[in-house]
């Protein structure tokens, strides 16, 4: 690596990020085996800071590191003006992220798992068209820079999913369940049970009148609700002057039951890493503590602009969370449901990711929602939208969080129950 | 390259095999806030082999050309494993054997425009946005340019070397006052020229004006309305609400879905005609050959309100006994092709804008596209902003306009189609099966839809 950086122009700094991966998997579509796949990829990204300007070049051509460095140096005269240095020699903690059990998985084992997942739902109703997939990845990441930082880590990831499509006339039901783990310990029974439970609940459709209701959001959907907080506490939004929380740090903003954390340090978690994309060790960041915004996520650039230290959230394209955790409450999901006379529990949404998160408004189509009547599930609601404002609802209309949590898509969330949710139906 | 690919294909003892190899040059420039944020050159280089045997697929992806033969063997071995389990017949609809080297006719080749000139143009847009009004606190500009050379060969004798250009850009103004933040953006895109990036000032002025005005606009009141969608939102609607449902990889092994999508079914009024096409080189969905080496063709999906076609890969066409359409597309060399849209269009009608709003007592004129999603039956899409329509006239500005509906009901509720076709381009693209953003576009007129569910405030 030293050689790559040997002939840097005076005053220039450079960094090489390399990701070598092997991924393989099987997939079933429409209840039948479709095929297998295997990828072997080796990608490199070079960043340079020259005369205070940052630029980047990446590629996958073998042996292209020197070309990438040359390209990045050429680009740097147009680059972003920055006022920081790449980190030097640094200690970072080792985190257990790679398991020998994942590379040992072969196509035959994956096919057997998928066949079992598919057959479990077909037993419930043969008209279901099920999809299933199992995919594995082993990867090695290394980061070196001309200031002396040198780090690497290995990681393994195993993912599995089971999806259901059920068409009766013009009536469609479509949803799925997926899990990921660093090792071969995925809860396939849990996947099957959740899909079958939801399918049985959702088979019958019931009417829902427009109005405002208490609504429980399943952990998979809670990320849409917390997006305004995470976007507003991103150092880039703050330094750009567009964060509505810029002047709210340290002030009471939300219900005191709201504590939101970002943590990239947890061993054996697929979204953990020992250091971020810039070589800064990851850490546990309390974003919101008992309703009070505490921490702005930063990378080297935004930390310098804000006069703080990087929180270890550099992604190469601005600060990004590693694993968002919303601390759970003390009621069970069953108790939350039992406490609602008339409302909805939402397991799937569409389009809730669209819109400007900084305004706090979150709305979307309820693609899988179940009506709650007198504390019990009554059937599926269709043609409904929900609308909330996260800043307002997590302050004034929070019913509570469930004791149960679920880790999904790089986050760990409980079920979230909110009151006064606008439901529009047609 | 031709000999290399053809010789490697001889190693595959399977029903069908194809190799795709890609060399690309990407330039990405983004501005965030008040300054240039990132400038990146990326040079993706790699290929994949896809093999089919007894109905089962194998896929192997690689970076080193030296690994090509190993990848062919791996894909063939996987296909035999899958085919051995399935024991089915490999069904691919016939496609012409083609030998071609294709380079688009560029209107302004971006390789002929220096990087400093591109930055000068983008800088001027940044300055324009930031200088418009003191309420504008930030600008966001994204410019992506990708020039690819894609080599394709299959075991039937087809060999194609195809050059592709994809330019996509968004430019947005963000206004903020206290806890209220509003962004408005414009989009640009092309498959043949950098000229799409020139002279954006009029559109930017309008975006800035709206961003400032929307600070004081109320959130739309939730309800069920008659909605007039402008051409950009109509393009998003037809993509999300109907285009995805027309992709045959959903229906080809699902008899119930195939029944719901039976050709000949009346899905709309006789004013409605929808097609998807690789034509229109000025837009991002332009495509000469798809990623199975099939020439793209205009594919009518709905004609005069009747379902008449769907989008196919060679496999879905083969299994359903229908004609190929050239709709198998992959994001890049890391992925196998899926059935995807290109430029999805609604044929123009005769209505003027005044015709469409004059008899609406209470409705919404929804403008611009902010993303959408579908699950087959229901859709959701976001407008950039909207105006209330009251007693046949445009009234106050409203924000956070998000619309949803049932696909089949909504198609039948389209009761007027405008004569004002416009394209919808920008950065970003379509997502499916983990492959995003695939360049797509749409050319549509304004449409009027009855009984649309709109989310918002109570």
């Amino acid at each position: 690596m030293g050689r790559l950086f040997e002939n840097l122009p005076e005053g220039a700094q450079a960094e090489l990020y390399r990701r070598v991966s092997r991924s393989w998997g099987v997939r079933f579509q429409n209840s039948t085996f479709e095929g297998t796949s295997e990828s072997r990829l080796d990608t490199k990204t070079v960043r340079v800071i020259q005369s205070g300007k940052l630029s980047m070049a990446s590629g996958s051509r073998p042996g292209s590191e020197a070309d990438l460095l040359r390209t990045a140096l050429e680009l740097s005269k147009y680059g972003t003006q920055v006022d920081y240095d790449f980190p030097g020699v640094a200690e970072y903690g080792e985190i257990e992220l790679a398991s020998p059990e994942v590379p040992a998985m072969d196509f035959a084992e994956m096919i057997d798992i998928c066949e079992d997942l598919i057959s479990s739902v077909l037993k419930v109703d043969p008209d279901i068209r099920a999809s299933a997939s199992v995919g594995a990845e082993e990867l090695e990441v290394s980061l070196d820079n001309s200031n002396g930082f040198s780090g690497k880590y290995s990681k393994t990831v195993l993912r599995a999913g089971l999806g259901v499509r059920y068409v009766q006339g013009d009536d469609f039901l479509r949803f799925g369940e997926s899990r990921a783990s660093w090792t071969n310990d995925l809860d396939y029974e849990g996947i099957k049970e959740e899909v079958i439970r939801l399918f049985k609940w959702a088979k019958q459709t019931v009417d829902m009148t427009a109005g405002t209701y208490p609504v429980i959001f399943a952990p998979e959907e809670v990320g849409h609700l917390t997006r305004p907080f995470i976007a507003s506490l991103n150092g880039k939004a703050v330094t750009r002057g567009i964060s509505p929380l810029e002047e709210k740090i340290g002030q009471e903003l939300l219900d005191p039951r709201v504590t939101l954390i970002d943590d990239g340090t947890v061993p054996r978690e697929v979204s953990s890493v020992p250091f971020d994309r810039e070589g800064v060790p990851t850490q546990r960041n309390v974003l919101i503590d008992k309703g009070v915004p505490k921490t702005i996520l930063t990378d080297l650039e935004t930390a310098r602009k804000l006069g703080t230290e990087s929180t270890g959230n550099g992604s190469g394209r601005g600060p990004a969370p590693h694993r968002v955790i919303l601390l759970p409450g003390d009621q069970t999901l069953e108790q939350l449901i039992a406490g609602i006379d008339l409302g909805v529990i939402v397991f799937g949404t569409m389009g809730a990711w669209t819109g400007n998160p900084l305004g706090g408004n979150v709305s979307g189509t309820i693609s899988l929602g179940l009506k709650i009547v007198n504390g019990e599930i009554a059937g599926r609601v269709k043609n409904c939208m929900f609308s909330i404002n996260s800043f307002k609802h997590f302050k004034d209309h929070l019913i509570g969080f469930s004791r149960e949590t679920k880790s999904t898509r790089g986050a760990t969330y409980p079920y979230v129950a909110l009151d006064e949710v606008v439901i529009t139906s047609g | 390259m031709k000999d290399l690919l053809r010789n490697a294909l001889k190693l595959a003892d399977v029903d069908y095999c194809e190799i795709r190899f890609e060399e690309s040059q990407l330039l990405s420039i983004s501005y965030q806030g008040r300054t240039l944020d990132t400038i990146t050159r990326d040079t993706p280089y790699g290929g994949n082999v896809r093999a089919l045997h007894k109905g089962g697929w194998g896929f192997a992806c690689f970076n080193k050309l030296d690994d090509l033969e190993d990848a062919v063997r791996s894909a063939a071995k996987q296909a035999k494993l899958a085919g051995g389990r399935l024991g089915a017949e490999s069904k691919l609809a016939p496609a012409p054997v083609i030998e071609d080297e294709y380079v688009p006719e560029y209107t302004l080749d971006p390789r002929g425009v220096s990087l400093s000139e591109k930055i000068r143009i983008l800088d001027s847009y940044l300055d324009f946005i930031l200088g418009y009004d003191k309420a504008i606190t930030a600008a966001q500009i994204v410019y992506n340019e990708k020039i690819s050379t894609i080599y394709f060969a299959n075991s039937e004798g087809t060999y194609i070397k195809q050059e592709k250009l994809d330019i996509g850009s968004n430019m947005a103004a963000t206004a903020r006052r206290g806890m209220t933040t509003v962004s408005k953006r414009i989009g640009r895109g092309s498959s043949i020229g950098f000229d799409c990036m020139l002279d954006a000032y009029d559109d930017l002025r309008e975006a800035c004006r709206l961003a400032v005005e929307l600070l004081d606009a109320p959130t739309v009141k939730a309800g069920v309305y008659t909605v007039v969608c402008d051409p950009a939102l109509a393009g998003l609607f037809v993509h999300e609400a109907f285009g995805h449902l027309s992709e045959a990889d959903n229906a080809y092994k699902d008899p119930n879905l195939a029944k719901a999508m039976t050709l000949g079914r009346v899905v709309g009024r006789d004013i409605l005609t929808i097609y998807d096409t690789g034509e229109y080189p000025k837009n991002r969905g332009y495509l000469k050959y798809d990623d199975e080496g099939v020439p793209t063709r205009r594919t009518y999906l709905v004609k005069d309100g009747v379902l008449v076609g769907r989008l196919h890969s060679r496999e879905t066409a083969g299994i359903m006994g229908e004609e190929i359409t050239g709709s198998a597309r992959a994001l890049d060399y890391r992925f196998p092709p899926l059935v995807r849209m290109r430029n999805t269009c609604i044929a123009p009608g005769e209505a003027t804008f005044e015709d469409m709003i004059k008899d609406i007592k209470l409705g919404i004129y929804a403008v611009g596209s902010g993303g959408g999603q579908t699950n087959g039956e229901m859709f959701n899409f976001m407008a950039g902003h909207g105006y209330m329509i009251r007693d046949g006239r445009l009234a106050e500005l409203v924000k956070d306009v998000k619309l949803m509906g049932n696909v089949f009901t909504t198609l039948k509720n389209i009761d007027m189609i405008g004569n004002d076709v416009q394209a919808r381009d920008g950065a970003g693209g379509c997502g499916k099966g983990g492959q995003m953003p695939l360049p797509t576009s749409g050319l549509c007129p304004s449409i009027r839809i009855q009984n649309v569910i709109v989310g918002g405030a109570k």
Side-chain angles (χ1 to χ4, degrees), chain A residues 30-302:
Chain A
N30 292 300
S31 305
T32 55
F33 184 30
E34 195 173 81
T36 61
S37 62
E38 181 178 26
S39 296
R40 292 173 185 273
L41 299 173
D42 181 354
T43 55
K44 288 140 291 205
T45 302
V46 170
R47 295 198 307 170
V48 301
I49 299 174
Q50 182 171 232
S51 303
K53 290 194 166 182
L54 176 76
S55 60
M56 185 159 68
S58 60
S60 50
R61 189 186 286 267
S64 60
E65 291 88 338
D67 288 339
L68 295 175
L69 178 60
R70 195 163 36 249
T71 302
L73 286 167
E74 285 167 9
L75 280 181
S76 68
K77 68 177 173 182
Y78 303 107
T80 319
Q81 192 75 47
V82 296
D83 188 25
Y84 66 87
D85 297 325
F86 293 136
V89 178
E91 297 270 322
Y92 58 87
E94 296 285 340
I95 306 178
E96 188 179 14
L97 299 170
S99 162
E101 291 185 25
V102 172
M105 290 202 69
D106 61 17
F107 287 132
E109 187 178 351
M110 293 173 164
I111 292 167
D112 289 344
I113 293 166
C114 285
E115 282 181 341
D116 179 51
L117 291 171
I118 296 271
S119 67
S120 69
V121 290
L122 293 185
K123 278 181 203 157
V124 176
D125 193 321
D127 269 356
I128 290 174
R129 282 297 174 271
S131 58
S133 63
V134 176
E137 185 176 29
E138 53 177 337
L139 64 100
E140 289 183 6
V141 171
S142 63
L143 181 71
D144 298 272
N145 69 38
S146 57
N147 292 347
F149 180 86
S150 181
K152 62 180 176 182
Y153 59 86
S154 300
K155 206 168 176 175
T156 53
V157 183
L158 183 66
R159 293 187 173 86
L162 174 62
V164 161
R165 188 176 65 230
Y166 187 72
V167 178
Q168 300 287 298
D170 285 351
D171 191 34
F172 288 39
L173 173 63
R174 191 174 180 176
F175 66 93
E177 176 79 8
S178 62
R179 306 274 167 92
S181 175
W182 76 294
T183 190
N184 187 7
D185 67 351
L186 287 177
D187 179 11
Y188 300 110
E189 291 305 313
I191 293 176
K192 288 188 278 187
E193 283 169 13
E194 181 69 354
V195 168
I196 291 168
R197 182 175 72 125
L198 287 176
F199 180 76
K200 286 179 175 173
W201 270 342
K203 234 179 145 181
Q204 185 187 342
T205 302
V206 293
D207 288 334
M208 189 81 201
T209 313
T212 57
Y213 296 97
V215 173
I216 301 172
F217 291 89
E220 289 87 344
E221 303 305 318
V222 172
H224 299 305
L225 315 184
T226 58
R227 197 165 71 107
F229 309 137
I230 294 162
S232 302
L233 292 170
N234 186 303
K236 204 150 218 172
V238 175
T239 56
R240 282 163 57 194
I242 58 172
S243 169
L245 301 189
E246 186 179 349
E247 290 120 23
K248 304 282 182 188
I249 303 297
Q251 297 178 21
E252 285 181 16
L253 181 79
L254 305 174
D255 186 290
R257 288 171 288 174
V258 179
T259 293
L260 195 67
I261 293 163
D262 169 65
D263 194 346
T265 68
V266 183
R268 300 179 290 281
E269 286 286 355
V270 293
S271 50
S272 291
V273 283
F275 52 86
D276 73 4
R277 175 62 190 77
E278 298 180 309
V280 178
T282 51
Q283 61 188 47
R284 181 180 171 90
N285 299 302
V286 179
L287 300 173
I288 298 172
D289 185 20
K290 298 184 178 70
V292 178
K294 288 280 186 192
T295 307
I296 295 164
L297 292 184
T298 54
D299 55 5
L300 291 170
E301 182 186 2
T302 54

Side-chain angles (χ1 to χ4, degrees), chain B residues 121-135:
Chain B
I121 291 167
L122 297 176
D123 277 347
S124 72
Y125 294 149
L126 179 82
D127 291 343
F128 182 89
I129 294 169
L130 294 174
Y132 180 83
D133 189 291
K134 62 183 180 188

Side-chain angles (χ1 to χ4, degrees), chain A residues 36 42 80 170 361 363 382, chain B residues 37 78 265 377 400 402:
Chain A
T36 61
D42 181 354
T80 319
D170 285 351
N361 289 336
S363 64
K382 291 185 67 177
Chain B
D37 185 58
Q78 292 176 53
R265 177 180 175 176
E377 175 196 25
D400 298 322
K402 208 175 265 193

